[in-house]
């Protein structure tokens, strides 16, 4: 377990106490001017690099000049008030915004130095390489087995039934679900509990051999016990994957991530080590958010 996961405030009030006791440097007071991102946008051994990323929905400038690296085998949390652009930014990373007719993205996003928005990029293998786990569990109306097997089939990852069986078992094991469902693989995935359905969706993502996993508030519809299982899973998956997670829970960000990026009104305000962002924020807007003054 990394050192950041030892920071486990049990409530917002605990977080406020933690912050008030540990802030040693007064955050920047920019008098309403957000300006450039504070903290370091750079990551050691970056897997994803984003430069001057802008997103427009028609005339609405939703994301403004975002510069950010996401490191290999790290979890980065994207936090901020509702409507600040964190989910929009996350969806840029595997071109999910392409499905929105009014959406326009410019700037540069590279994964392992490959331009995601190149006109030559095939988005089907991209979305296998950069998988997405959504806010609400969305298993297919198929059996548990077929939920996992569907992706490998269409991507040609298995040529025999034995190979497909191995992928299904391996994916469910990685998602911590195999022991719970191994005797009912032919039953509908929709019959599982909410937490199990979300782990099934994670297993489905893992089945197509991604390198990056994007999670958009994956625990918001789950109870505390299911949430704890997903968070433990995220920490285990970090050993093999790069993970970016949008969360409204600052406690969750503190538990699962090594770096945290704070968004506000479409801008990236601050990014840094999670422990630093929560205990010694550099920007006044960051401090106001994490202490509950707004958001």
């Amino acid at each position: 377990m990394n050192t950041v996961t030892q920071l486990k405030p049990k409530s917002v009030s605990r977080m406020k106490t933690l912050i008030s006791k540990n802030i040693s440097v007064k955050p920047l007071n920019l008098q309403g001017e957000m300006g450039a991102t504070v903290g370091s946008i750079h990551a050691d051994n970056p897997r994803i690099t984003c430069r001057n990323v802008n997103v427009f929905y028609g005339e609405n400038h939703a994301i403004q000049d975002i510069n950010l690296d996401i490191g290999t085998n790290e979890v980065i949390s994207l936090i901020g008030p509702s409507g600040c652009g964190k989910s929009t930014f996350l969806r840029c990373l595997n071109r999910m915004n392409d499905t929105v007719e009014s959406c326009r993205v410019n700037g540069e996003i590279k994964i392992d130095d490959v331009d995601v928005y190149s006109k030559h990029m095939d988005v089907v293998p991209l979305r296998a390489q950069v998988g997405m786990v959504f806010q609400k569990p969305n298993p297919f109306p198929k059996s548990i087995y077929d939920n996992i097997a569907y992706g490998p089939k269409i991507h040609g990852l298995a040529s025999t039934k034995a190979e497909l069986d191995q992928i299904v078992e391996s994916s469910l094991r990685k998602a911590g679900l195999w022991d719970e469902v191994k005797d009912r693989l032919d039953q509908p995935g929709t019959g599982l509990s909410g937490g199990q359905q979300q782990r099934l969706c994670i297993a489905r993502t893992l089945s197509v051999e991604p390198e990056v996993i994007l999670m958009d508030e994956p625990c918001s519809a789950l109870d505390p016990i299911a949430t704890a299982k997903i968070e433990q899973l995220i920490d285990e998956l970090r050993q093999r994957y790069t993970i970016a997670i949008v969360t409204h829970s600052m406690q969750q960000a503190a538990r699962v991530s090594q770096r945290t990026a704070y968004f506000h009104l479409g801008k990236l305000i601050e990014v840094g080590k999670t422990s630093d962002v929560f205990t010694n924020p550099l920007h006044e807007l960051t401090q106001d958010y994490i202490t509950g003054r707004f958001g």
Side-chain angles (χ1 to χ4, degrees), residues 178-195:
W178 173 252
D179 289 338
E180 297 172 42
V181 303
K182 62 183 179 181
D183 296 324
R184 46 176 174 152
L185 295 178
D186 59 341
Q187 296 181 16
T190 52
L192 298 174
S193 70

Side-chain angles (χ1 to χ4, degrees), residues 55-57 88 90-106 109 116-119 121-124 126-127:
V55 180
F56 299 85
Y57 292 108
T88 294
L90 190 77
R91 290 166 62 91
C92 289
L93 302 180
N94 69 347
R95 293 185 55 169
M96 287 293 291
N97 287 321
D98 287 10
T99 62
V100 181
E101 186 175 347
S102 64
C103 185
R104 176 166 52 91
V105 179
N106 60 40
I109 298 176
V116 169
Y117 283 85
S118 166
K119 63 182 179 180
M121 174 62 68
D122 185 340
V123 297
V124 174
L126 170 67
R127 290 172 187 161

Side-chain angles (χ1 to χ4, degrees), residues 22-292:
N22 287 280
I23 291 178
S24 58
V25 179
K26 183 177 176 58
L28 296 175
N29 186 342
L30 300 186
Q31 298 179 339
E33 294 295 330
M34 288 184 282
T37 301
V38 299
S40 176
I41 67 167
H42 300 290
D44 296 333
N45 192 19
R47 170 56 60 86
I48 302 174
T49 57
C50 306
R51 296 294 181 267
N52 303 313
V53 176
N54 289 269
V55 180
F56 299 85
Y57 292 108
E59 297 299 317
N60 178 31
H61 196 175
I63 290 288
Q64 303 173 37
D65 296 317
I66 302 297
N67 295 282
L68 181 65
D69 290 350
I70 300 176
T72 302
N73 300 122
E74 81 167 3
V75 180
I76 185 168
S77 289
L78 313 180
I79 65 170
S82 296
C84 67
K86 52 192 185 295
S87 291
T88 294
F89 174 73
L90 190 77
R91 290 166 62 91
C92 289
L93 302 180
N94 69 347
R95 293 185 55 169
M96 287 293 291
N97 287 321
D98 287 10
T99 62
V100 181
E101 186 175 347
S102 64
C103 185
R104 176 166 52 91
V105 179
N106 60 40
E108 180 182 90
I109 298 176
K110 290 185 175 182
I111 298 178
D112 295 331
D113 292 324
V114 176
D115 184 1
V116 169
Y117 283 85
S118 166
K119 63 182 179 180
H120 304 295
M121 174 62 68
D122 185 340
V123 297
V124 174
L126 170 67
R127 290 172 187 161
Q129 180 187 10
V130 186
M132 174 77 81
V133 177
F134 295 95
Q135 182 174 0
K136 293 183 179 180
N138 59 343
F140 299 145
K142 300 174 179 287
S143 69
I144 294 170
Y145 183 97
D146 286 338
N147 262 271
I148 307 302
Y150 179 78
K153 283 180 181 177
I154 65 172
H155 288 286
L157 299 180
S159 56
T160 66
K161 178 67 162 56
E163 289 178 351
L164 201 57
D165 289 347
Q166 185 176 10
I167 291 173
V168 169
E169 179 176 347
S170 174
S171 301
L172 288 169
R173 285 189 182 280
K174 289 176 184 176
L177 194 57
W178 173 252
D179 289 338
E180 297 172 42
V181 303
K182 62 183 179 181
D183 296 324
R184 46 176 174 152
L185 295 178
D186 59 341
Q187 296 181 16
T190 52
L192 298 174
S193 70
Q196 289 174 325
Q197 286 187 29
Q198 192 65 297
R199 282 184 286 152
L200 178 64
C201 293
I202 293 172
R204 188 176 67 195
T205 298
L206 299 178
S207 71
V208 293
E209 302 178 357
E211 297 176 14
V212 178
I213 302 173
L214 311 179
M215 297 184 168
D216 193 356
E217 298 189 60
C219 302
S220 65
L222 306 181
D223 61 53
I225 293 175
T227 294
K229 289 182 178 179
I230 297 293
E231 290 181 358
Q232 181 181 3
L233 175 59
I234 290 171
D235 191 66
E236 293 169 358
L237 292 176
R238 181 175 68 87
Q239 309 305 318
R240 298 187 292 271
Y241 306 97
T242 295
I243 301 173
I245 177 172
V246 168
T247 178
H248 275 294
S249 169
M250 291 175 284
Q251 292 84 1
Q252 182 171 84
R255 288 190 293 262
V256 304
S257 64
Q258 290 71 56
R259 291 170 71 229
T260 293
Y262 172 63
F263 286 73
H264 183 83
L265 297 179
K267 290 182 178 288
L268 177 56
I269 302 302
E270 180 169 350
V271 60
K273 290 182 179 180
T274 295
S275 54
D276 293 340
V277 170
F278 283 121
T279 61
N280 191 21
L282 298 175
H283 201 292
E284 187 174 41
L285 284 170
T286 312
Q287 180 184 355
D288 287 348
Y289 181 72
I290 63 178
T291 56

